[in-house]
């Protein structure tokens, strides 16, 4: 039985990963409290008897100091710990590290990374640290560079989470209109379940255990954000008008197109199978 220390188990993806690993028979251990407060002795104690560490912890918003502490300094401490303990590390990084790409162009792991937000910059800093340790042979680690995970348990403040809630309410109340910001940006959406299954694939003793460095994890397809709302309209049976005249996200304007190149991922033996429709159905079902 593989023993895994899962960081960030209380979050959206952490919860999905925990369920996937446990259903496959892995023993999952977690840590509560502020992980950034842990020192070398703490990590050594928590890693005792563990085969792998999965880092799903971090922040998506906050001050630059908060983002650096959660997305860089925490990972640096984990890298030191697994270097000493010999465990395999699987870290969740982000496609926000790439920044802007030309429409129709797929982001490759060896391509330019020019993040346009403090969040993306902090995630990239952590990924660079990990990749350097891997290339120098100090750690056995893999960063999965995720696109836009969707599934049950999403933050209700995210566009999919908010749209699911508001469209269910609008259908129930017979509202004439639901307003969103512009929905024309293209994104690569990946099933949250595929993230959990990928983590399992890359654990010690599994098919992808030899993969190291950085791998993209997405669907490999760019779809308009509007598809999320369209599918949730279908699921809710909402018959009113969808307006796109609310203030939009600055990120949509900065990065109008995103798609991950999955060549390296598929070469490792893993191919995502989840669909956007299934992921949104899971998200919508939990609104009940």
């Amino acid at each position: 039985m593989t023993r895994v220390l899962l960081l960030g188990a209380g979050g959206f993806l952490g919860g999905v990963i925990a369920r996937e690993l446990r259903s496959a028979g892995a023993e999952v251990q977690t840590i509560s409290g502020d992980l950034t407060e842990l020192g070398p002795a703490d990590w050594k104690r928590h890693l005792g008897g563990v085969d792998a560490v999965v880092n799903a912890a971090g922040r998506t918003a906050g001050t630059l100091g908060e983002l650096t502490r959660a997305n860089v300094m925490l990972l640096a401490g984990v890298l030191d710990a697994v270097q000493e303990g010999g465990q395999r590390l699987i870290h969740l990084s982000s496609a926000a590290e790439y920044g802007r790409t030309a429409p129709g162009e797929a982001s490759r792991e060896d391509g330019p990374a020019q993040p346009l937000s403090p969040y993306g910059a902090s995630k990239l800093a952590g990924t660079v640290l990990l990749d350097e340790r891997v290339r120098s042979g100090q750690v056995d680690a893999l960063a999965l560079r995720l696109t836009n995970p969707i599934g049950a348990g999403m933050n209700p403040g995210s566009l999919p989470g908010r749209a699911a809630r508001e469209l269910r309410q609008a259908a129930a109340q017979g509202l004439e209109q639901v307003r969103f910001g512009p929905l024309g940006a293209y994104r690569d959406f990946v099933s949250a379940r595929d993230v959990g299954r990928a983590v399992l694939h890359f654990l010690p003793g599994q098919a992808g255990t030899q993969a190291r460095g950085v791998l993209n994890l997405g669907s490999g397809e760019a779809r308009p954000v509007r598809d999320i709302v369209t599918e949730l309209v279908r699921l809710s049976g909402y018959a009113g008008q969808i307006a796109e005249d609310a203030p939009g996200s600055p990120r949509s304007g900065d990065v109008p197109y995103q798609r991950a190149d999955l060549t390296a991922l598929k070469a490792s033996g893993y191919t995502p199978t989840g669909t956007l429709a299934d992921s949104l159905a899971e998200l919508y079902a939990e609104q009940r």
Side-chain angles (χ1 to χ4, degrees):
M1 176 186 296
T2 303
R3 293 160 296 181
V4 179
L5 177 63
L6 173 60
L7 310 179
F12 162 45
L13 288 175
V16 174
I17 291 168
R19 291 190 292 274
E20 291 290 336
L21 297 187
R22 285 175 175 141
S23 67
E27 178 184 319
V28 179
Q29 302 176 23
T30 63
I31 305 176
S32 59
D34 185 354
L35 301 181
T36 63
E37 297 290 339
L38 300 181
D42 301 310
W43 285 117
K44 185 174 183 179
R45 182 177 71 256
H46 285 298
L47 291 179
V50 167
D51 303 305
V53 178
V54 177
N55 182 29
R59 291 184 68 114
T60 59
T63 67
L64 184 57
E66 290 169 336
L67 289 167
T68 300
R69 186 175 174 83
N71 297 337
V72 185
M73 300 308 296
L74 170 60
L75 178 58
V78 175
L79 285 167
D80 287 343
V82 297
Q83 180 176 338
E84 179 178 347
Q87 294 82 10
R88 178 161 170 80
L89 170 64
I90 299 176
H91 167 68
L92 303 189
S93 65
S94 170
E97 299 169 24
Y98 285 121
R100 190 184 184 98
T101 57
E105 181 178 320
S107 299
R108 295 176 55 91
E109 294 88 348
D110 58 357
Q114 299 174 321
L116 299 177
S117 68
Y119 165 69
S122 67
K123 293 296 288 185
L124 177 60
T127 301
V128 170
L129 285 177
L130 181 148
D131 202 33
E132 175 59 28
R133 294 283 187 98
V134 169
R135 287 190 290 109
S136 64
Q138 298 178 67
V139 297
D140 173 13
L142 173 67
L144 294 175
R145 193 171 264 166
L146 310 184
T147 53
N148 294 267
I150 293 183
M154 289 191 75
N155 185 333
S158 65
L159 172 63
R162 180 173 67 86
R165 182 184 67 252
E166 293 187 1
L167 287 168
R168 177 179 286 278
Q169 293 172 349
Q173 298 169 13
L175 300 184
E176 294 182 358
Q177 184 184 79
V178 180
R179 299 177 65 214
F180 296 98
L183 302 172
Y186 280 73
R187 292 287 180 268
D188 186 329
F189 300 107
V190 63
S191 163
R193 285 177 177 262
D194 269 323
V195 177
R197 288 188 285 257
V199 168
L200 177 63
H201 175 80
F202 292 111
L203 286 180
Q206 301 300 315
T209 191
Q210 299 302 318
R212 292 174 177 80
V214 183
L215 285 180
N216 287 337
L217 176 54
S219 68
E221 178 183 6
R223 301 182 61 162
V225 176
R226 188 175 295 110
D227 285 0
I228 289 178
V229 174
T230 300
E231 179 61 18
L232 289 171
V233 165
R234 186 189 69 79
L235 290 168
S236 67
Y238 177 63
Q241 178 186 9
I242 299 297
E244 299 183 27
D245 57 356
S249 166
R251 181 168 176 261
S252 294
D254 292 341
V255 185
Y257 183 91
Q258 176 200 67
R259 179 167 64 90
D261 184 292
L262 303 186
T263 303
L265 179 72
K266 292 179 179 179
S268 75
Y270 185 76
T271 299
T273 58
T275 66
L276 180 59
D278 288 344
S279 299
L280 289 172
E282 293 175 4
L283 172 62
Y284 187 76
E286 73 176 355
Q287 301 301 313
R288 301 193 183 102

